[in-house]
Amino acid sequence: MRTIRRGEWVRSVMRTGYELSHLAALEAESVHIFREVAATFERPVLLFSGGKDSAVMLEVARKAFWPAPLPFTLMHIDTGHNFDEVIEFRDRAAERAGARLLVARVQDDIDAGRVHERPGETRNRLQTTTLLRAIGEHRFDAVFGGARRDEEKARAKERVFSFRDEFGAWEPRAQRPEIWNLYNGRHRAGEHIRVFPLSNWTELDIWEYIDREAVDLPSLYYAHRRQVFRRDGMLLADNRFLTPSPDEPLFEATVRFRTVGDATCTGCVESEAADPAAVIAETAVTRLTERGATRADDRISESGMEDRKREGYF
């Protein structure tokens, strides 16, 4: 009988070793991040808007702690200008997950005089005050967000654990290294950490995961007929928060939304994609991120998102 040398045995074991797929590796990384936060922080919260990224984030979080319930609250920073389908989905998803849903409303800050609404502007920038107020009132020390690095230049600078000072401000040069996926959650009273479990995912990864796991989404993400109009090169939906001017004719088109933010500034794209597989096929060939294609408020300047993040924005 031939003796197997140690080197041959090691090579044999390595050849037959278990290897994760790309999507499974992303999921495993996100599960690790959720568990790391649960073990490190006292009062984490998950930002949940009802969009596709937060829906995937919630699904991964449920897997991370199953069969136990989620060890943190869900929170939505509500501009008051949301699509009805998204709010209905938000409430249904939170109930299905058995999670407590906290809604912090921009309207409350407007009524209290903490922020002032300007004619013709969206409420997106006003969300920062509402977010920081809610974090302070509930003493949250870690805040999960669904931002991905492929979305926008400023978000590409983020760490997974993003340190925020006592004013909620983000300073790119003050972020901590994350060598070998080791995360530093150290902070003092009043400071907090924004945590991005989907940092290394792309829009295509999100949709492949939605397809694989049959993740439920608001119907707006799939092709449907809707009254729209063109403004600044974008298709915007006619709704009770946003109506066209006299020189912006309404017409009906088959569209879908790539992102579902504030209804006053979120555009749609013409599409026949009525299921995840069709959306994946579209996404695989697009060369423009969803924020660049469908978010009017992100076009204010080249550094618009970074300026907002420095103030405490998502």
Side-chain angles (χ1 to χ4, degrees), residues 115-133:
V115 294
H116 301 281
E117 195 170 13
R118 298 176 183 174
E121 288 191 3
T122 75
R123 289 185 172 184
N124 268 5
R125 191 160 198 142
L126 305 184
Q127 290 180 93
T128 299
T129 297
T130 307
L131 173 64
L132 297 179
R133 172 177 59 80

Side-chain angles (χ1 to χ4, degrees), residues 4 6 14 23 26 51 114 130 138 140 143 148 160 183-184 218 230 244 250 255 265 270 292 302 304-305 314:
I4 299 177
R6 178 176 175 79
M14 291 178 67
L23 210 56
L26 287 173
R114 287 184 285 266
T130 307
H138 297 278
F140 294 129
V143 182
R148 309 185 321 269
V160 173
Y183 306 115
N184 183 352
R230 294 192 184 276
L250 272 175
V255 300
C265 62
E270 293 190 81
E302 186 71 18
M305 175 63 77
F314 310 136

Side-chain angles (χ1 to χ4, degrees), residues 2 4-17:
R2 189 173 74 89
I4 299 177
R5 296 180 178 178
R6 178 176 175 79
E8 293 176 327
W9 179 82
V10 170
R11 287 192 295 272
S12 175
V13 170
M14 291 178 67
R15 282 197 300 270
T16 60

Side-chain angles (χ1 to χ4, degrees), residues 87-313:
I87 296 301
E88 186 276 330
F89 170 78
R90 178 201 70 184
D91 295 341
R92 185 176 75 247
E95 182 178 4
R96 186 171 62 244
R100 177 189 173 219
L101 175 65
L102 172 66
V103 180
R105 294 179 171 83
V106 169
Q107 187 64 51
D108 292 341
D109 290 292
I110 294 173
D111 294 342
R114 287 184 285 266
V115 294
H116 301 281
E117 195 170 13
R118 298 176 183 174
E121 288 191 3
T122 75
R123 289 185 172 184
N124 268 5
R125 191 160 198 142
L126 305 184
Q127 290 180 93
T128 299
T129 297
T130 307
L131 173 64
L132 297 179
R133 172 177 59 80
I135 291 173
E137 287 179 355
H138 297 278
R139 296 182 291 111
F140 294 129
D141 54 0
V143 182
F144 291 109
R148 309 185 321 269
R149 290 182 177 132
D150 75 320
E151 289 182 274
E152 199 272 337
K153 293 179 180 178
R155 288 182 167 174
K157 297 180 181 180
E158 283 280 19
R159 303 287 196 267
V160 173
F161 275 35
S162 179
F163 172 76
R164 303 299 170 105
D165 66 21
E166 64 271 26
F167 303 106
W170 174 69
E171 173 50 64
R173 292 172 296 183
Q175 299 305 304
R176 299 157 179 174
E178 293 178 342
I179 303 171
W180 303 305
N181 293 336
L182 296 176
Y183 306 115
N184 183 352
R186 181 175 55 83
H187 64 286
R188 295 175 294 188
E191 301 169 342
H192 69 276
I193 304 292
R194 305 279 174 89
V195 183
F196 302 107
L198 307 182
S199 285
N200 294 323
W201 299 52
T202 65
E203 184 183 8
L204 183 59
D205 295 328
I206 291 291
W207 277 106
E208 288 180 342
Y209 191 82
I210 289 166
D211 187 38
R212 191 189 80 175
E213 301 295 324
V215 177
D216 191 23
L217 292 179
S219 58
L220 295 178
Y221 279 109
Y222 302 110
H224 59 284
R225 299 291 290 177
R226 180 178 288 268
Q227 290 285 315
V228 298
F229 60 95
R230 294 192 184 276
R231 177 178 294 172
D232 297 329
M234 288 176 51
L235 278 182
L236 297 173
D238 181 44
N239 59 76
R240 68 179 186 273
F241 307 116
L242 181 68
T243 55
S245 62
D247 61 343
E248 295 173 330
L250 272 175
F251 61 96
E252 190 174 89
T254 302
V255 300
R256 70 176 181 89
F257 288 79
R258 291 176 68 185
T259 180
V260 290
D262 190 290
T264 65
C265 62
T266 302
C268 48
V269 295
E270 293 190 81
S271 172
E272 298 289 339
D275 56 48
V279 175
I280 289 170
E282 277 190 2
T283 305
V285 297
T286 188
R287 291 296 177 266
L288 193 61
T289 69
E290 68 262 44
R291 296 193 71 91
T294 63
R295 289 296 293 273
D297 63 319
D298 286 348
R299 299 182 175 187
I300 54 175
S301 73
E302 186 71 18
S303 61
M305 175 63 77
E306 182 160 334
D307 292 340
R308 292 181 183 183
K309 287 171 66 63
R310 288 176 182 273
E311 296 169 359
Y313 190 69

